[in-house]
Amino acid sequence: MVALLGDEMATFGPQFGDDDKGRLEVEPHGPGRVDVFFTPSEARLRAAGRFGDPTARVLLLRFDAKKESTTLFPVNTMPTSGSFLGPKHDPIISIELVEANGLASIVDDFDDSEHFVLPTTIDDVEMYLNECMPSGFTKDPNFGLGLDRTLTFIIQALAQIDDIEHLRLTDEKTLEVSRSEDGKTYEMGFQLFDELRRGAGRFDDKARMSSRKKKKQLAYSNLLHRLDKDTFPLKLFEREPDEIAETIGRTIVDAKLSENDRAAVVGLAKVAVRSSLNTQRGAIIKLHDEIELASIDELIAHVEAKLAVKTSEPQWQKLFEANPFILDMAFNVPVLMLQGQAHVGGKKLTGAGEKITDFLFANQLTDNLAILEIKTPGMPLLSSKEYRSGVYGPSPDLVSAVTQVLNQMNHLQSDIFRLKALNPEHRMESFGIRGVLVAGVIPESARKRSFELYRSALAGISIITFDELLAKLRSLRALLASDLSA
């Protein structure tokens, strides 16, 4: 049976002309199965250079009452396409719709023979396409059937799975998905398909609404506000509730964020943090912990990188100035950094007087001063030769560094009254000035005892090594991580 697809066939999207209609042919293939073939119009076949080609007649539909399935073979009907009459949703060749009682079978009470009720005429096929096809499908054969173009994202997702050639929709599934035993068919339920379709529709509606609002705002700002700023004051772009949440979604892949995206996210968090404390306190505290953890991770990486190469004192000082809390860990009390590269000698701490120390700190509670001097991780802490069996003296570099710190402490103590008078903006006291020296790394096991004996005997001066600072950072990181996962 052959019929021309006329105007009575419902179409979606651009309409074909009356002389540009393809034709359908219905062919029964045994009990309970009917195949429907499609041949494009003569105009399309000529445009594609395939007029008279017998292979231009392609299988479009298959009704199988025994399997209770209708199978679509979506086809590309655009004659200018290189895949004309090929699979419309390549690599997906077919879409099978399996639904209980979708195609009826009747058993004859007289002779127990089975009879099937399924489309057998062109009118039956057209009625099925118009009235029985699920939403989300193209229903006009002239467009090759298949999924609506708004749902091509489903095909794009399935195309990422190796060897998938068929899609099966079934009422036997709800939200679960699976793959056939031969690995070529992807199976999902009608319920999940409908949720995907509805979700895509909501996204499209919101995108159109957002576009209209942005165009309206653009016209207002450029046509009205430019003309009369008093009558038409500049308006802020108003967002709908949940618009940002739906735009961002539940997950964010940071690698896909541009610098403008990151700036926008940080800016939004900054302006929203105070107003969100009452309702989102837990999330904000967790965000704060995440920020601290990320900062610690970055700092640990910087310190490890500098320890791996030869780094000068000024380079270490620059790192510590940018991250002063590292140096706070060298003290057992809360301190405040007053000045880096501090000077004395009758001038202000920031003046060009005699340099006294790399960093000047004050106890946050007692205002007592402390100085901190930085060397390098490569500075030897002990002599290379044993003084006695198993005993190593301090290296000349360490002795000189300790003497330098003692001299700085003495100099600071002598000039404390003058410094206080010239720097009234700082609260400073010299009840018992402390000195801290950051230098070297912990010696190997045989020398640890000598190093600990030496630094423990020093009065008023603490020596902390670079690897000890790194260990403190790692301990702090572990503490933050445990709080975050709790």
Side-chain angles (χ1 to χ4, degrees), residues 286-392:
K286 204 162 188 175
L287 173 62
H288 174 268
D289 292 343
E290 286 281 7
I291 293 172
E292 285 195 335
L293 189 61
S295 299
I296 289 289
D297 285 338
E298 183 181 36
L299 187 53
I300 288 174
H302 282 322
V303 174
E304 288 175 338
K306 288 186 178 297
L307 284 174
V309 298
K310 186 176 181 179
T311 307
S312 65
E313 289 183 30
Q315 289 175 312
W316 281 109
Q317 181 159 350
K318 185 177 180 181
L319 175 65
F320 292 151
E321 284 179 343
N323 303 275
F325 80 93
I326 304 178
L327 300 179
D328 291 355
M329 294 187 296
F331 300 90
N332 295 322
V333 293
V335 293
L336 175 67
M337 188 176 76
L338 300 182
Q339 182 68 38
Q341 297 290 301
H343 294 74
V344 292
K347 295 188 177 182
K348 288 195 172 186
L349 296 176
T350 56
E354 177 187 355
K355 178 188 171 189
I356 186 172
T357 187
D358 289 328
F359 293 97
L360 181 63
F361 289 87
N363 187 304
Q364 290 187 24
L365 302 179
T366 67
D367 304 325
N368 188 53
L369 292 176
I371 63 174
L372 187 144
E373 185 69 23
I374 297 173
K375 298 305 177 183
T376 67
M379 192 185 87
L381 300 179
L382 299 175
S383 297
S384 57
K385 296 182 179 180
E386 287 181 306
Y387 179 72
R388 291 286 188 271
S389 177
V391 176
Y392 296 85

Side-chain angles (χ1 to χ4, degrees), residues 42-336:
E42 179 180 331
R44 288 180 176 265
L45 290 175
R46 289 187 182 279
R50 297 190 54 181
F51 182 69
D53 183 354
T55 64
R57 178 178 178 267
V58 294
L59 178 62
L60 189 66
L61 270 169
R62 173 170 292 159
F63 299 101
D64 194 327
K66 289 185 177 180
K67 295 181 178 179
E68 296 186 316
S69 71
T70 300
T71 304
L72 313 179
F73 298 89
V75 62
N76 182 349
T77 60
M78 298 303 296
T80 56
S81 171
S83 58
F84 178 57
L85 297 184
K88 181 180 181 178
H89 299 319
D90 187 53
I92 302 301
I93 298 173
S94 69
I95 302 175
E96 183 181 8
L97 311 177
V98 182
E99 189 172 8
N101 301 319
L103 298 173
S105 64
I106 301 174
V107 178
D108 194 315
D109 292 335
F110 180 72
D111 59 3
D112 292 332
S113 61
E114 190 174 22
H115 302 277
F116 300 96
V117 179
L118 71 167
T120 56
T121 68
I122 296 300
D123 290 339
D124 292 342
V125 173
E126 292 182 355
M127 184 179 70
Y128 174 85
L129 293 176
N130 283 321
E131 300 180 11
C132 301
M133 283 276 285
S135 298
F137 282 83
T138 299
K139 302 179 180 182
D140 188 343
N142 290 294
F143 286 98
L145 301 185
L147 295 183
D148 186 88
R149 60 183 178 181
T150 61
L151 301 180
T152 54
F153 67 91
I154 295 177
I155 301 299
Q156 292 167 356
L158 298 184
Q160 300 179 54
I161 307 174
D162 292 338
D163 302 324
I164 290 293
E165 297 179 356
H166 312 284
L167 170 62
R168 178 180 295 136
L169 303 182
T170 173
D171 58 0
E172 295 179 355
K173 295 181 180 292
T174 53
L175 298 180
E176 68 271 19
V177 297
S178 62
R179 193 171 182 175
S180 62
E181 291 184 3
D182 64 3
K184 294 185 177 182
T185 301
Y186 189 93
E187 300 175 340
M188 76 167 76
F190 282 107
Q191 181 178 339
L192 176 57
F193 176 79
D194 199 50
E195 288 196 10
L196 293 174
R197 180 185 64 82
R198 292 177 182 273
R202 287 194 298 269
F203 292 152
D204 290 341
D205 290 342
K206 286 184 177 294
R208 285 190 289 268
M209 183 182 299
S210 176
S211 178
R212 287 195 296 269
K213 288 176 63 176
K214 290 178 180 178
K215 291 175 183 177
K216 186 176 179 180
Q217 174 88 2
L218 184 66
Y220 181 93
S221 301
N222 288 278
L223 302 180
L224 303 183
H225 179 69
R226 285 178 183 272
L227 177 68
D228 189 338
K229 292 180 174 58
D230 294 328
T231 305
F232 305 103
L234 190 62
K235 295 180 180 179
L236 295 177
F237 184 75
E238 296 182 358
R239 297 189 178 275
E240 296 293 328
D242 298 332
E243 182 177 348
I244 294 177
E246 292 185 3
T247 300
I248 294 177
R250 295 183 178 181
T251 58
I252 300 177
V253 181
D254 182 69
K256 297 294 184 180
L257 295 180
S258 67
E259 289 306 314
N260 287 337
D261 289 333
R262 293 188 176 93
V265 170
V266 173
L268 180 61
K270 182 178 178 181
V271 300
V273 63
R274 292 184 182 275
S275 61
S276 303
L277 270 175
N278 289 335
T279 59
Q280 302 292 328
R281 179 176 295 273
I284 290 175
I285 291 175
K286 204 162 188 175
L287 173 62
H288 174 268
D289 292 343
E290 286 281 7
I291 293 172
E292 285 195 335
L293 189 61
S295 299
I296 289 289
D297 285 338
E298 183 181 36
L299 187 53
I300 288 174
H302 282 322
V303 174
E304 288 175 338
K306 288 186 178 297
L307 284 174
V309 298
K310 186 176 181 179
T311 307
S312 65
E313 289 183 30
Q315 289 175 312
W316 281 109
Q317 181 159 350
K318 185 177 180 181
L319 175 65
F320 292 151
E321 284 179 343
N323 303 275
F325 80 93
I326 304 178
L327 300 179
D328 291 355
M329 294 187 296
F331 300 90
N332 295 322
V333 293
V335 293
L336 175 67

